[in-house]
Amino acid sequence: MAFASFSAEISIDDCVALKLPVLTIETEGAKKIKSKEKYLKANYVLIDGQNYDYGSCKIRGRGNTTWRTRELFKKPYLLKLNEKKNLLGFPSAEKWVLMANTADKTQLRNYYAEYLSSKVFNSLPWTPKSRYISLFINGQYNGLYALTEKVEAVLGRVPVSEEEGSFVFVVNGRQNKEWNFESSNGVVFSVRSTIGASDDEMKRRENIIREAEEKLFSGNFEKFDLQSFVDWYLINEFTKNHDAKFQSSCYLYYDSKVDKIFMGPAWDFDISCGNISWDDCDKVEGFWVKNASWYEKLFEDKVFCELVKERWISKRSEIEKSIMFLKKSAVELKPAIMFNDAVWKNIGHRQWPHAPGWKNRKTMESEIDYMINFLEKRALWFDSALENL
């Protein structure tokens, strides 16, 4: 009832005035989106300034923790258009993620990681782009979302072709995708396919990963694009992203043209930057990702260690600029965050993941300050820690 009353008070015109795109979704029969598996038929209208786009689509829930956790009421969605469209100027595609950023009271952690990946540690061949939008579902304001490119091996996204033998895979401890296996060193992978690959083809892909891992643990890195592993590591270690310890949402892909595995793209940072209360990931000190299975092996190599050190030093001044970007983005986004919080009541209230000190942070500014303080101290710790790597 509280959601309905606050939501009804926020109109499309109110959100247009924020100068962010507005996306409206009308499901068939105004049905509620309750399933992650079953799509609902729908129509959409996307308003971006003077530009309009509209059409037919399908929509369903997506995500894991955000979808099932009771304290996280605002849910993420997967939007599938009936035809490919270049929404908001992004390359044309059918599938788009509506990222809720529910666990992140700042709404900025994923956005900041996108900046780090595209502007700072930018050797990753592709970074999912996103834009903030105001989302309305069946006439009601649903909150501030990020319309985000989906990680998939299709034209305009992950730069490989499945038809040529390349593929995307992901560390996924939940084993809830179409093809899952546990490697010899205990890493659980899910292999993805957008073309309905046969079991024989999926087994071939699994074998490529297994053979590459075997080489890695024998000290042979010829199957790995080390620069992508360096940059992905620095993005995730600097932000102390809990999921990045080869647990979940760690994407990789195999490029058949060069016969190498690339790390990335960077994805899922809502419980990074101190936004968590366990495994010491709220503390600015200490390595986290460095101790992950594959990375632990890479860091036994002096050459890889030097690559990490040199890359951090070369980008250190840009880290300072990235924090200025974060501060500027927070100011620009504040009105939209306040609309979102008027409905969902996140700031100053109990909400998983219960980041330390949440009870005392009653304003958006205090949440932003907490995040920035973490990053500034983390960067200083990193400076000294890498000297002894």
Side-chain angles (χ1 to χ4, degrees):
M1 290 177 64
F3 166 81
S5 61
F6 281 108
S7 179
E9 293 175 5
I10 299 174
S11 70
I12 290 177
D13 287 343
D14 292 332
C15 291
V16 168
L18 296 174
K19 301 188 185 304
L20 294 178
V22 174
L23 176 64
T24 68
I25 303 288
E26 300 288 339
T27 64
E28 189 175 64
K31 294 178 181 177
K32 292 183 179 180
I33 307 165
K34 297 181 178 181
S35 172
K36 285 203 320 175
E37 289 75 36
K38 185 178 180 181
Y39 280 104
L40 294 180
K41 293 181 180 178
N43 292 304
Y44 75 91
V45 176
L46 180 59
I47 307 166
D48 183 19
Q50 299 300 312
N51 300 316
Y52 286 75
D53 189 66
Y54 58 91
S56 300
C57 62
K58 297 175 183 177
I59 189 169
R60 64 170 175 83
R62 71 166 301 279
N64 292 297
T65 304
T66 307
W67 186 261
R68 71 171 186 268
T69 301
R70 290 185 178 182
E71 291 182 19
L72 303 179
F73 299 106
K74 179 187 171 194
K75 302 302 181 185
Y77 303 106
L78 180 64
L79 186 67
K80 184 179 181 181
L81 309 184
N82 283 12
E83 60 177 317
K84 291 182 179 181
K85 291 284 189 73
N86 57 340
L87 300 184
L88 303 178
F90 297 152
S92 182
E94 285 183 338
K95 293 182 179 180
W96 302 83
V97 174
L98 295 174
M99 195 78 72
N101 292 312
T102 313
D104 176 12
K105 293 177 181 181
T106 72
Q107 302 283 305
L108 285 164
R109 283 174 168 84
N110 277 312
Y111 191 56
Y112 179 63
E114 180 185 325
Y115 179 90
L116 289 177
S117 181
S118 60
K119 304 294 185 184
V120 183
F121 301 108
N122 54 0
S123 72
L124 301 183
W126 180 74
T127 296
K129 294 178 288 296
S130 68
R131 279 185 66 185
Y132 287 106
I133 62 164
S134 300
L135 179 65
F136 286 76
I137 297 178
N138 295 327
Q140 281 196 324
Y141 173 73
N142 209 69
L144 178 65
Y145 280 71
L147 180 74
T148 306
E149 295 181 297
K150 188 175 186 295
V151 180
E152 53 184 351
V154 299
L155 186 65
R157 294 189 173 169
V158 180
V160 293
S161 169
E162 287 196 68
E163 287 80 2
E164 296 174 352
S166 302
F167 57 90
V168 172
F169 60 108
V170 59
V171 178
N172 178 28
R174 298 180 180 89
Q175 302 188 54
N176 57 353
K177 300 301 178 182
E178 55 269 33
W179 189 273
N180 312 284
F181 71 95
E182 184 173 339
S183 76
S184 299
N185 291 281
V187 184
V188 179
F189 292 107
S190 294
V191 183
R192 299 293 186 87
S193 177
T194 63
I195 60 173
S198 66
D199 285 356
D200 286 346
E201 168 59 19
M202 296 299 264
K203 187 64 179 178
R204 181 191 72 88
R205 298 178 183 188
E206 176 184 329
N207 288 337
I208 288 172
I209 300 167
R210 288 187 181 278
E211 290 167 9
E213 184 188 63
E214 185 177 336
K215 286 180 179 293
L216 170 67
F217 278 81
S218 68
N220 184 339
F221 303 157
E222 66 181 14
K223 294 292 186 182
F224 296 85
D225 178 80
L226 291 185
Q227 191 60 58
S228 68
F229 275 78
V230 168
D231 276 16
W232 186 94
Y233 168 76
L234 286 169
I235 295 165
N236 283 276
E237 188 74 276
F238 168 52
T239 59
K240 212 170 188 182
N241 185 13
H242 187 269
D243 286 340
K245 195 178 179 180
F246 266 44
Q247 298 176 151
S248 65
S249 300
C250 301
Y251 280 94
L252 309 92
Y253 65 89
Y254 171 75
D255 188 341
S256 62
K257 289 184 177 179
V258 294
D259 191 24
K260 287 183 182 293
I261 289 175
F262 288 72
M263 195 71 216
W267 184 262
D268 199 1
F269 286 77
D270 57 346
I271 54 174
S272 68
C273 307
N275 192 31
I276 195 169
S277 55
W278 60 90
D279 288 336
D280 286 337
C281 281
D282 58 313
K283 296 179 173 58
V284 296
E285 302 87 2
F287 289 109
W288 177 247
V289 185
K290 177 177 174 289
N291 303 318
S293 175
W294 282 16
Y295 274 101
E296 188 173 39
K297 189 63 184 178
L298 285 166
F299 273 106
E300 291 178 6
D301 182 73
K302 291 182 179 180
V303 173
F304 186 79
C305 290
E306 288 304 313
L307 287 173
V308 170
K309 290 181 185 180
E310 291 169 6
R311 187 65 163 163
W312 174 260
I313 292 168
S314 71
K315 293 292 184 176
R316 188 60 175 87
S317 63
E318 294 179 46
I319 291 293
E320 299 299 326
K321 292 178 183 177
S322 77
I323 293 175
M324 294 304 297
F325 164 82
L326 181 58
K327 292 178 180 180
K328 181 173 180 288
S329 298
V331 172
E332 294 172 348
L333 201 62
K334 181 179 178 179
I337 294 176
M338 292 298 94
F339 274 17
N340 184 83
D341 201 62
V343 173
W344 296 110
K345 302 294 183 183
N346 294 333
I347 298 172
H349 293 80
R350 176 182 172 84
Q351 172 191 291
W352 185 92
H354 316 135
W358 65 269
K359 290 182 180 179
N360 300 320
R361 295 193 293 274
K362 305 293 186 183
T363 64
M364 173 197 158
E365 287 82 0
S366 63
E367 284 290 345
I368 297 294
D369 288 345
Y370 172 77
M371 180 181 173
I372 289 172
N373 182 62
F374 178 93
L375 291 169
E376 289 177 337
K377 290 182 177 179
R378 179 75 172 159
L380 292 174
W381 177 85
F382 223 73
D383 291 340
S384 59
L386 287 185
E387 288 181 6
N388 302 314
L389 192 64

